[in-house]
Amino acid sequence: MPTTRCPAAPTYPADPTPPIPETLAYSLTLPAALASAALARATTREVLRAHGLTDMLDPALQAVSELTSVAAQFTESSNYYLTLRYRFSTLRLIAYDSHPRHTSPHLATACDTRRRAALRVLACVCRACDGTWGFGEAREPGGGTRMWATLPRASAAAYGAP
């Protein structure tokens, strides 16, 4: 019986270029536990350091903490999803949870009010950094809710300065 060998897998050498801000693109799936916010902050801290964005640490860590804490409280599944991207001199943070949008207008308004109240510190951070924040229906196939924050680097670097 002839021996058949697997074709050699194509070789894709690892990119030797050190991380730079423009290559920051990470996604995490986190367990729906309140302790996950600390893991998300620690990961974000290391990612920002590796990509040379330590000047944005304080507002970014606060924003990640707020997004992940609220996602853990609202999600109806065992996990939620966080993305970190840096494009056009702006850090973009997005958390997805499985809590669906309500079809009843009254319930939707009540739920939105509760979520907005839970994100009030995020609103303050984004306002101080000339960024944006919000939430709405997730466009992904699984549905749920998407919450986001954008932090422009120049104003985020001045966050908390006198």
Side-chain angles (χ1 to χ4, degrees), residues 39-158:
L39 296 171
R41 283 192 307 273
T43 301
T44 301
R45 181 180 290 110
E46 293 308 313
V47 164
L48 292 178
R49 283 183 181 154
H51 287 270
L53 293 168
T54 56
D55 54 345
M56 299 182 75
L57 269 175
D58 288 342
L61 295 178
Q62 186 66 56
V64 164
S65 188
E66 297 297 313
L67 289 169
T68 56
S69 295
V70 172
Q73 291 174 15
F74 274 82
T75 194
E76 295 179 2
S77 67
S78 60
N79 53 46
Y80 60 92
Y81 186 67
L82 174 69
T83 67
L84 300 99
R85 303 276 186 271
Y86 186 82
R87 301 287 182 273
F88 308 110
S89 300
T90 300
L91 182 63
R92 302 171 194 286
L93 309 165
I94 304 173
Y96 297 92
D97 65 65
S98 65
H99 185 77
R101 301 293 295 163
H102 297 281
T103 55
S104 160
H106 182 59
L107 285 176
T109 299
C111 190
D112 287 355
T113 300
R114 185 172 164 232
R115 193 179 288 262
R116 189 172 288 106
L119 293 168
R120 67 184 168 271
V121 173
L122 177 68
C124 293
V125 170
C126 289
R127 188 171 37 256
C129 294
D130 298 322
T132 62
W133 72 280
F135 59 88
E137 187 170 359
R139 296 177 226 149
E140 282 60 38
T145 302
R146 175 177 74 102
M147 298 177 289
W148 71 89
T150 62
L151 302 171
R153 186 174 187 181
S155 51

Side-chain angles (χ1 to χ4, degrees), residues 6-12:
C6 283
T11 303
Y12 296 104

